Amino acid sequence: MVVADGMGPAYTSAYRYFNDDPTTVEIEQTVFERHLKGLSSTYPEAISGYVTDSAAAATALATGIKTYNGAISVDVDKKPLLTVLQWAKQQGKKTGVVVTSRINHATPASYLSHNESRKNYNELANSYIDNGIQADVYFGGGWKNYIRDDRNIVAEFTQAGFQYIDRYSQLNTLKANQPVLGLFAKTSLPWALDDSNKHRLTPLTQTAIKQLTNQAGFFMLVEASQIDWGGHDNDIAAAMHEMDDLANVMLYLESFVAQNPDTLVVLTADHSTGGFTLAANKDYRWEPQVLRSMKHSITTIAEKIIAQDKLNDAASHQANTQLKRPIKGDQISQWLNFPLSTTEIEQLQQVEPLFHAQTQHYALLDKRLKEQQSPPSLKNSYRRALLSIIDKRTNTGWTTSGHTAIDVPVFAFGKHSEQFSGQLDNTDIANKIFSLLGK
C-alpha cells in the first residue's frame, strides 16, 4: 500500500510536465499514467464535514471505517478499529512501514496504532511497544519521540530483538530475518531537495522488501509524506521533487511486481492539499523548467540568505562602516540554480526592511492580538518572497494552505489490481485489501 499524502490529481498532471524531456516532441508518459485505475472520495465522518485531515483519511484507508478529523484508527466513539496491517500480522504475514515523516505521524500511526488524537506523538510512540509490536520494519524519522529523557523506546526495540540504524549508509549492513527499526532524523526526513539521497524512498523500500520477503507474504505501507507539506507551504518546487521521489520508488515497485507477479501495489492519496493549479491569473501557461534544475529547498535557500546577511553585517562592522553590503543577486541565483532578474533581486532586497517594519508593528500590539498571530520571522519572510518568485516564474496557483475535498486518483498494478478500478471511496480500498487478506 502506497499513500502519497496530499497528492490530488493536479500533482500527477504537474509531474507529467515536470518530468517531460524538453528535447523531444512528445510528452513522455509517467509511471502514474501507466497504472491509473480511477478516483476515490476522501470525506471524513459527517461530524467533520466534507474536508478530511490526514488522520481521518488514513484511518479510512487502514480500517475501512470513516471517523472524525484527528482520530488515529478509532471510531467516532473513540473505540479502536482493526487495521489492514494488524490483520495481516494476525494472519502470520510480515509487516512494515516506510515513510518520510516520523513513523508516529498520522498516516503510519493509523496503520499501527489507535489514539483519540494525532497530536499525541509520545503516546503514539509508546504504543508501538506498549500495545504490542505490530511491524517487522519501521523506516522514517522520529528520534524526538523515540529517544526521550523519560523513555528510550529505541532501546526497548533493541531489547525486543530489533536491529537499529540511523543512517542510510547502514541499510546494506542489516542482517536478514531480524526485525529492524530505522530512524534517520529528529522528526521528518529532510525535503527530498535537501536530502543526501533525493530518491531516498527507493533504497528504504528496497531494503524493507528484502527484510520482509518470506513464504507467508507481507503487507507494507509506503508513504511519500511530504508532498502534502509542499502543498501546505504552497511550495511547488518541494512538491515536485517529492513527487519525483515517489515516481522513482513506483518505478522500482513496477519492476518488483514484474519479477513477483503475485504482488499487489495500490497507490492513492489521502486527500489533496493547497488547491494547487497549473496556471493562474488568466495566463494560459505553466512552466516548470526552473523547478527541474533546483538543488536546494526554498527553506534552505532562505537560511543561506540569512547566514550570508550575518556575514555581511560582520564584514561591515569590521570595516567600521554603517553601510551594509547587500547580498548579491548572483549568489542567490547560484543557490536557486537559475538566474534572477533585476526585479526579483530587488524584491528579495526589500525583505529585510519590511521584516523590521513588521517586527516594530508586532511589538506595539496588545497581548490579546499577539496571542492571535505568530511573531514575524525573517526566514519565513524570505521563504514567502522566494515562493512568490517561483510561482510567478512557473505561473503556479494556490487557493489554500490547507486541504481540499476533491477526489484523488487511485493507481494499482499486480495481482487483483483490477478490483481497484472506477469510482471508489477511501473505505473501499481498505475493505478490498481486507478481503484479499482473507477477512
Side-chain angles (χ1 to χ4, degrees), residues 64 71 73 78 112 159 170 225 248 272 289 331 337 370 374 377 404 408:
S73 286
K78 302 183 180 178
L112 291 162
Q159 289 163 10
Q170 296 172 299
S225 317
N248 195 265
S272 188
Q289 295 92 321
Q331 178 66 82
N337 210 27
K370 283 182 178 178
S374 301
S377 160
T404 70
V408 296

Side-chain angles (χ1 to χ4, degrees), residues 282-352:
K282 296 185 179 180
D283 186 0
Y284 288 27
R285 65 181 179 88
W286 193 68
E287 299 179 344
Q289 295 92 321
V290 296
L291 306 176
R292 299 179 187 133
S293 63
M294 290 182 67
K295 305 297 182 186
H296 305 288
S297 72
I298 292 298
T299 298
T300 291
I301 294 170
E303 291 168 350
K304 286 178 177 289
I305 293 172
I306 292 169
Q308 187 62 52
D309 274 343
K310 289 179 179 177
L311 289 175
N312 291 350
D313 284 341
S316 298
H317 180 74
Q318 189 173 9
N320 197 26
T321 176
Q322 297 298 313
L323 295 175
K324 178 177 177 177
R325 301 175 186 176
I327 188 166
K328 294 181 178 179
D330 58 358
Q331 178 66 82
I332 305 176
S333 295
Q334 182 179 339
W335 293 329
L336 286 165
N337 210 27
F338 62 83
L340 290 169
S341 69
T342 301
T343 300
E344 291 167 339
I345 293 168
E346 290 173 352
Q347 181 181 342
L348 290 171
Q349 288 176 342
Q350 288 300 310
V351 167
E352 192 163 347

Side-chain angles (χ1 to χ4, degrees), residues 80-145:
L81 299 166
L82 179 68
T83 77
V84 289
L85 184 147
Q86 292 169 335
W87 174 255
K89 191 70 171 171
Q90 291 174 16
Q91 305 314 300
K93 299 184 185 299
K94 289 190 175 182
T95 57
V97 294
V98 176
V99 299
T100 58
S101 64
R102 60 182 109 181
I103 62 171
N104 53 332
H105 208 257
T107 301
S110 294
Y111 282 81
L112 291 162
S113 191
H114 314 276
N115 200 283
E116 66 181 34
S117 175
R118 61 180 293 180
K119 296 179 182 178
N120 294 330
Y121 287 113
N122 284 347
E123 287 183 20
L124 287 164
N126 294 345
S127 74
Y128 285 16
I129 288 285
D130 296 346
N131 295 350
I133 295 173
Q134 300 293 324
D136 302 280
V137 175
Y138 302 82
F139 285 158
W143 301 331
K144 178 179 180 180
N145 303 116

